[in-house]
Amino acid sequence: MTNSELRIKRALELAQDTKVFEMGEGYLSRVPAVFEQLFPGRMALVVADVNTWRVAGAEVYAWLQDDGIETGVFLIPDREFHAEWKYVEMVEAAVKGSGAVAVAVGSGVINDLCKLSSAHLGQSYICVPTAASVDGYSSFGASISYEGVKQTFDCPAPVAIVADISVIADAPKEMTAAGYADLAAKIPAGAEWMIADLFGTEPIIPEAWHVLQDVLDEMLSDPEGVAAGKPEAIAALFEGLTLSGFAMQAARSSRPASCTDHLFSHYLDMTHHQFRGKLQSHGFQVAVGTLTMCAFFDAFCKLDLTQLDVDACVAAWPTLEQEQARALKVFEGFVDPKLGYNVITQKYQGAEDVRRELEAVKARWPELRDAYRAQVYPFAKMQRLFEIVGAPSDPSHIGVTRAQLKAMVPKTQLMRWRINLLDLAKRARIYDELVEAVFGPGGAWDLSEEQEF
Ligand SMILES: [Zn+2]
């Protein structure tokens, strides 16, 4: 067994939903054997769109038929489509009508449509990815717009993933770059999990941590190869994205894979942000969030928190009512004006918890700072990796100004119940200082050096 096969074997033992993950060049031909093993006697329905039918769907269909498996096809009728509810209904009707098992041939959107519609029908499906664009293939939950708001619906991950690296390496370069950024997000997200672990709100789950974090540096180490579509580099990237989904399956939470880095993307989704008339990909939006969090950690690790005045911080700690009022102000005029209010109501902690958390930060600061530094890449390094791979290295690349990005920061603190770096900063009264270090003179996103687009 190769290292990769060994890692995958161990990871599959952790994954709760996925039983089979096969990855290699020319692997479309493996689909019938996997289908037969998991769904003997059932009919297959290849679900694809016009593009993915051309690059892989037709071949998967032919392999299934050659193998004597009764096979149908459902093509998404529109050329341009997003993960919207009406498509879930379409796919669900097609799968139900045929009595078949879906074989999702496509990128993240097709996979999410099959994931949710199959769950509605109480069955699983096989995922045949065509791009290393997101970590969502192997995660549970589908991200779908419902009544104009992007939501994550609970549903199991696919029972099998058959990844043909030749197909994935041929995907449009910006899709692969997006996947690279989605994987890179796990770097700062890991550090924010360390903070939640320190505070005791979400302890690190060792197996979910190690399956991904132990190999992350290696999987991100060849941006040139990824940009050039080198099969080994693409395979490493795809494996990293898949392991990230398995880590989420093991933790039964998205904590191993995302934190504030992703909230910038959620904010842009919720405000229907477009650049040059187009919605920006998940990975491209996450790239900007990831860089921003690397910059925040750079600034954070420069501080000396051994001198923290815990008594003063606790004395200044606002009440729940004050925080709720602040949250309402922060989200005034937003599509979901009560979002922050609801989140802070859920995650607010009283003064004694804050005292305990800050005492821990203060007492262990040199050791914690070294651990965060060891975990998070410096902003300059992450930016360079994104430049090489072709992912956004500045918010202007997705049509966001630095001023707009700065305005998102207070919202990202209050968009999710989980503890993040900004929560720590609020408690320690270093929030304004960090924001200034990132967006002020000489900062990573120095507002006076706004890039044109
Ligand atoms: Zn993601």
Side-chain angles (χ1 to χ4, degrees), residues 133-136 181-183 185-186 248 257-258 261-262 282-283 286:
S133 50
V134 283
D135 65 16
D182 201 20
L183 186 60
K186 284 60 172 155
M248 288 188 262
S258 74
D261 39 78
H262 270 62
H282 172 73
V286 165

